[in-house]
Amino acid sequence: MDIVAASGLSWSAVSDHVERLHAEKLIKVSEIGNSSGGRKPKLYAVNRNVGHVISIELGISSGRVAICDFDSNILFSHRCGVHVSEGPDRVLAHLCGRVKDLMARHQVEPHTVMGIGIGIPSPVEFASGLPISPPIMPGWDRYPIRDFWAKHFDCPCYVDNDVNVMALGEHAKGVNFEVDNLIYIKIGAGIGSGIICLGQLYRGENGSAGDIGHFDVGSDVLCWCGNHGCLEAIAGGKALAAKGEALALAGESPFLLDILNAKGGITVKDIRSGLQNLDPVSLKLVRESGMQIGRVVAALANFYNPALISLGGSVSELGDILLASLRQGVYQRSLPLAARNLQINKSVLGKTAGLVGAAFMTIDQLIINSTDNNPETFLPLRQAADLHKAVPNVE
Amino acid sequence: MDIVAASGLSWSAVSDHVERLHAEKLIKVSEIGNSSGGRKPKLYAVNRNVGHVISIELGISSGRVAICDFDSNILFSHRCGVHVSEGPDRVLAHLCGRVKDLMARHQVEPHTVMGIGIGIPSPVEFASGLPISPPIMPGWDRYPIRDFWAKHFDCPCYVDNDVNVMALGEHAKGVNFEVDNLIYIKIGAGIGSGIICLGQLYRGENGSAGDIGHFDVGSDVLCWCGNHGCLEAIAGGKALAAKGEALALAGESPFLLDILNAKGGITVKDIRSGLQNLDPVSLKLVRESGMQIGRVVAALANFYNPALISLGGSVSELGDILLASLRQGVYQRSLPLAARNLQINKSVLGKTAGLVGAAFMTIDQLIINSTDNNPETFLPLRQAADLHKAVPNVE
């Protein structure tokens, strides 16, 4: 990518800013390109070894912490059991402990940590990093997460919604073709999405954009939100497990009943095991889920007309049967033009999308904020943030 | 608005470009602002008298043509009966005749026409101006609309989807507060939307973004698209009129039956007249329509989290009863955070949104294209396009 063309700034302005990033060692010359006449252009890339970034993904009942390089590659990671209902003080202290353990184990010095990025299952006011009216995180509303980390690390901290962070990661480091408009859908216990619009993360007016879990799919099932017929109450992982349990108890699936008797409950993993063992009830449940989600995805495709819909989350791990029935639902209800070039794929990054995305968000913000906030210098540095992805041509 | 701050370019670069627009008479100094120290800043505005713009809105069974000034104000307009099913040759010839009549009647000289803007009821590939797979315009697929106008006028022509053009017009000249993210919904015979994202029109990958008429609202009604339960088959103007007719024939509404007997059919206008005459059947139909549309709008609000949803089209003219039941549907199904600051209002421009928007699109493109396509000069001129809306401060 030619930074001059992409940023719309003069060669000298771009050159100044690239020199500054270079002086700060955030980027480095990766190779000398071919000349089309005149001096040979320099090809820049982020300097992955300039320091470390801590990335954290907080789920409802578990967390993941990682130490990444400055190119969003996960160097070391650790999964831990925490539940958001324990409240922010205990959960953050626990995560911080795991981060420090990980650093000690791998001899990562605190002064090498340049930033911390966190994805949480709540809408977030990105500018302040505050969770806003989290529906499933009691005690977290407007909790100052950044202040907590400032007590432990001498570097900036950035917080965003978990699915937004996954969408960022998947767009920047997962998808292996050029795509400007994509919807990343996380199908886990709940169902949510993150929107990339014209190459940038779109957060909406209140940071709540991407909420699709409460689309009305027409059913009598009561959702935790108080409405009936919400998508996630019918097709999310929790719903899938509950249906599996009910059908096991009704004697329809000897396979699931054995598991229920042995373990006292059914999870999405058991349904996956049902698929592998050709349990017809598990197959039916996954097919129905896929079709329901697909019909909602069709509505999104019609409205947003993206190039790609990327599927992540634990339920999306259910494999080809879910993907096929989801696609069937999409093609049944989407308009021919919106579906013509639409790709519907499983996330390339899979389970690591959140950690990679939290690191990417952090590096992106560090590069943006390395300017003096003069709008004149903002653009080329923002452009340089694209260096994560592409190796641009400066001259 | 300070162009320097907004464009991220240097004072000298902005100054050069503003001078060029000034030399081309596209903008003019409107007043001298207050100084905060140093020279007094100049306040620029588009030069509305530099020439004329022709704007055209093509509906399914009627068209509107207008002559506008260079600030998207309609000077003269004319409504004519054309049906898109007559095919592009006849329809465009008819519209062109009406434009020439209007110009002759008001002594508008052809050399003063600087551009032509058209909104059509089809997805459009904006770069080429070609209709793409229009579902309700037989014979128009990839018809070179621009080439037709080039035979009659020596100026550029721009074509876009009708609802996109309305969204542009409403955003630029209707909404009287600062809003970056809005959805404009046209509720006419069919139902469609246009999306403003971060201040710009969002067209999607294939120019089909904004299609909400075929959202599944769960019903057995067959839509023209071949699916069941599409929103517009249940709540659009055509559906409303058909339901009114059926209920009149079933003897449930003496009011509508009288009209049916007198005129042989029921239209949305008759339903509106039913509201004014407190016909309970008309009231019930409008309420149901509003609730159905509101539930879909709730899904859009959750997904897109806009600041404003603006309602236009003939059905939206049904007034407060439609608006109230639509809002009821939205608040029933939308998430608290997405609905917290959401405004749901009738379009400020009303019936003129399409003509104003087509003029605005044209002026916007003329200003952008007055650059030499050097990306370095692109930004400030794009910024200057915002002069339509705000009077910026250049120094």
Side-chain angles (χ1 to χ4, degrees):
Chain A
M1 192 194 309
D2 184 324
I3 300 182
V4 173
S7 66
L9 288 161
S10 68
W11 183 84
S12 63
V14 169
S15 184
D16 284 355
H17 305 311
V18 168
E19 277 313 307
R20 179 172 353 166
L21 287 173
H22 201 194
E24 290 184 15
K25 297 203 174 83
L26 299 184
I27 61 173
K28 59 174 186 177
V29 178
S30 69
E31 58 177 302
I32 304 295
N34 292 321
S35 167
S36 55
R39 264 195 297 170
K40 287 189 176 177
K42 286 177 187 167
L43 300 174
Y44 284 83
V46 280
N47 182 5
R48 57 189 289 177
N49 299 319
V50 68
H52 295 104
V53 170
I54 292 170
S55 74
I56 300 172
E57 182 184 18
L58 180 58
I60 295 170
S61 59
S62 70
R64 281 199 183 92
V65 300
I67 297 167
C68 300
D69 67 16
F70 205 70
D71 193 22
S72 311
N73 298 298
I74 297 172
L75 302 176
F76 317 108
S77 69
H78 176 75
R79 190 172 188 278
C80 50
V82 280
H83 202 288
V84 288
S85 63
E86 292 170 37
D89 293 319
R90 287 187 60 179
V91 168
L92 291 174
H94 183 87
L95 292 171
C96 186
R98 297 298 74 72
V99 166
K100 288 183 173 172
D101 290 351
L102 201 61
M103 288 172 64
R105 201 178 323 144
H106 298 282
Q107 285 112 46
V108 173
E109 297 292 331
H111 74 268
T112 68
V113 176
M114 301 180 69
I116 301 168
I118 310 179
I120 62 172
S122 163
V124 173
E125 185 179 85
F126 184 69
S128 64
L130 297 175
I132 303 295
S133 308
I136 47 175
M137 297 176 78
W140 288 77
D141 194 21
R142 303 194 76 81
Y143 186 91
I145 295 176
R146 284 184 176 178
D147 295 352
F148 171 87
W149 291 97
K151 283 183 235 150
H152 296 270
F153 289 92
D154 183 26
C155 64
C157 168
Y158 304 97
V159 187
D160 203 348
N161 169 264
D162 57 349
V163 191
N164 280 353
V165 162
M166 291 173 197
L168 259 185
E170 185 69 24
H171 178 247
K173 306 289 286 187
V175 185
N176 48 12
F177 56 96
E178 196 67 44
V179 52
D180 285 335
N181 304 310
L182 82 81
I183 303 175
Y184 176 93
I185 301 182
K186 182 196 171 196
I187 316 171
I191 299 177
S193 80
I195 306 169
I196 301 288
C197 180
L198 304 174
Q200 304 292 321
L201 181 65
Y202 173 78
R203 295 184 172 90
E205 285 294 318
N206 304 81
S208 76
D211 209 313
I212 60 170
H214 304 275
F215 265 51
D216 186 0
V217 294
S219 138
D220 294 334
V221 179
L222 181 67
C223 180
W224 60 261
C225 77
N227 268 315
H228 289 90
C230 296
L231 176 67
E232 81 176 33
I234 288 158
K238 223 170 153 175
L240 209 53
K243 283 184 200 172
E245 208 164 302
L247 290 175
L249 285 172
E252 294 198 27
S253 166
F255 177 86
L256 293 176
L257 185 58
D258 283 351
I259 296 175
L260 182 62
N261 287 335
K263 301 200 307 182
I266 295 289
T267 66
V268 169
K269 273 188 188 163
D270 302 323
I271 304 279
R272 182 171 8 166
S273 147
L275 295 186
Q276 284 154 358
N277 288 278
L278 299 178
D279 168 45
V281 164
S282 300
L283 288 161
K284 180 184 98 129
L285 288 176
V286 171
R287 265 190 212 288
E288 283 173 2
S289 232
M291 282 287 286
Q292 293 281 15
I293 300 169
R295 287 195 203 108
V296 167
V297 171
L300 299 180
N302 289 349
F303 174 69
Y304 191 67
N305 188 203
L308 171 67
I309 289 171
S310 179
L311 305 171
S314 58
V315 174
S316 76
E317 301 290 318
L318 287 173
D320 291 341
I321 291 170
L322 182 86
L323 188 60
S325 50
L326 192 151
R327 284 179 172 151
Q328 187 190 343
V330 175
Y331 289 120
Q332 187 199 328
R333 295 278 338 172
S334 61
L335 296 167
L337 187 58
R340 188 189 284 173
N341 310 113
L342 177 65
Q343 297 210 33
I344 305 168
N345 297 333
K346 260 189 69 177
S347 157
V348 176
L349 295 182
K351 285 180 184 165
T352 64
L355 288 176
V356 170
F360 182 86
M361 162 179 78
T362 306
I363 297 161
D364 199 50
Q365 291 296 317
L366 287 171
I367 290 181
I368 290 173
N369 295 330
S370 75
T371 76
D372 47 10
N373 275 329
N374 176 347
E376 198 178 337
T377 65
F378 177 80
L379 270 169
L381 293 172
R382 185 65 193 75
Q383 214 58 51
D386 279 344
L387 288 166
H388 305 254
K389 198 171 175 183
V391 180
N393 175 344
V394 169
E395 177 153 332
Chain B
M1 193 195 309
D2 184 324
I3 300 182
V4 172
S7 67
L9 288 163
S10 67
W11 182 85
S12 62
V14 169
S15 184
D16 283 355
H17 305 313
V18 167
E19 278 312 308
R20 180 173 350 167
L21 288 173
H22 201 195
E24 289 183 15
K25 297 200 172 82
L26 298 184
I27 62 173
K28 60 173 186 178
V29 178
S30 69
E31 58 178 301
I32 303 296
N34 291 322
S35 168
S36 55
R39 264 195 295 170
K40 287 189 176 177
K42 285 178 187 167
L43 299 175
Y44 285 82
V46 280
N47 182 5
R48 57 189 289 177
N49 299 320
V50 68
H52 295 104
V53 169
I54 291 169
S55 74
I56 299 172
E57 182 184 18
L58 180 59
I60 295 170
S61 59
S62 69
R64 280 199 184 92
V65 300
I67 297 166
C68 299
D69 67 16
F70 204 70
D71 193 22
S72 310
N73 298 297
I74 297 172
L75 303 176
F76 317 108
S77 70
H78 176 76
R79 190 170 187 280
C80 50
V82 280
H83 203 288
V84 289
S85 64
E86 291 170 38
D89 293 319
R90 286 186 61 178
V91 169
L92 291 174
H94 183 86
L95 292 171
C96 186
R98 298 296 75 74
V99 166
K100 288 184 175 171
D101 289 350
L102 201 61
M103 290 171 63
R105 201 177 324 143
H106 298 284
Q107 285 113 45
V108 173
E109 297 292 331
H111 74 268
T112 68
V113 176
M114 300 181 69
I116 300 168
I118 311 179
I120 62 173
S122 163
V124 172
E125 184 179 86
F126 184 69
S128 64
L130 297 175
I132 304 295
S133 308
I136 47 175
M137 297 176 77
W140 289 75
D141 193 21
R142 304 194 76 82
Y143 186 90
I145 295 176
R146 285 184 176 179
D147 294 351
F148 171 87
W149 292 97
K151 283 182 234 147
H152 296 270
F153 288 91
D154 183 26
C155 65
C157 168
Y158 304 99
V159 187
D160 203 348
N161 169 264
D162 57 350
V163 190
N164 279 354
V165 162
M166 291 174 196
L168 259 185
E170 185 68 23
H171 178 248
K173 306 291 286 186
V175 185
N176 48 11
F177 56 96
E178 196 67 44
V179 53
D180 284 337
N181 304 309
L182 83 80
I183 303 176
Y184 177 93
I185 301 183
K186 181 197 170 195
I187 316 170
I191 299 177
S193 80
I195 306 168
I196 301 289
C197 181
L198 304 174
Q200 303 291 323
L201 182 65
Y202 172 77
R203 295 185 172 92
E205 285 294 319
N206 304 80
S208 76
D211 209 313
I212 60 170
H214 303 275
F215 265 53
D216 186 0
V217 293
S219 138
D220 294 334
V221 178
L222 181 66
C223 181
W224 60 260
C225 77
N227 268 315
H228 290 88
C230 296
L231 176 66
E232 80 175 34
I234 287 157
K238 222 170 154 176
L240 209 53
K243 284 184 200 173
E245 207 164 303
L247 289 174
L249 286 171
E252 294 198 29
S253 167
F255 178 86
L256 292 176
L257 185 59
D258 284 350
I259 296 176
L260 182 62
N261 287 335
K263 300 201 308 184
I266 296 289
T267 66
V268 169
K269 272 188 189 163
D270 301 323
I271 305 280
R272 183 171 7 166
S273 148
L275 296 186
Q276 285 153 357
N277 288 279
L278 300 178
D279 168 45
V281 164
S282 301
L283 288 161
K284 180 184 96 130
L285 289 176
V286 171
R287 265 190 212 287
E288 284 174 359
S289 231
M291 281 287 285
Q292 293 281 14
I293 299 169
R295 287 195 203 108
V296 167
V297 171
L300 299 180
N302 289 349
F303 174 70
Y304 190 67
N305 188 204
L308 172 66
I309 289 171
S310 179
L311 306 171
S314 58
V315 174
S316 75
E317 302 289 320
L318 287 172
D320 291 341
I321 292 170
L322 183 86
L323 188 61
S325 50
L326 191 151
R327 283 178 172 153
Q328 188 189 343
V330 174
Y331 290 120
Q332 187 198 328
R333 295 280 337 174
S334 60
L335 297 166
L337 186 58
R340 187 189 285 173
N341 307 315
L342 177 66
Q343 298 210 32
I344 305 168
N345 297 334
K346 260 188 70 178
S347 157
V348 176
L349 295 183
K351 285 180 184 167
T352 63
L355 288 175
V356 170
F360 183 86
M361 162 179 78
T362 306
I363 297 161
D364 199 51
Q365 291 297 317
L366 288 170
I367 290 182
I368 290 173
N369 295 330
S370 76
T371 75
D372 48 9
N373 274 328
N374 177 348
E376 198 179 337
T377 64
F378 177 80
L379 270 169
L381 293 172
R382 184 68 193 71
Q383 215 58 51
D386 279 344
L387 287 165
H388 304 253
K389 196 170 174 182
V391 180
N393 174 344
V394 169
E395 178 150 332

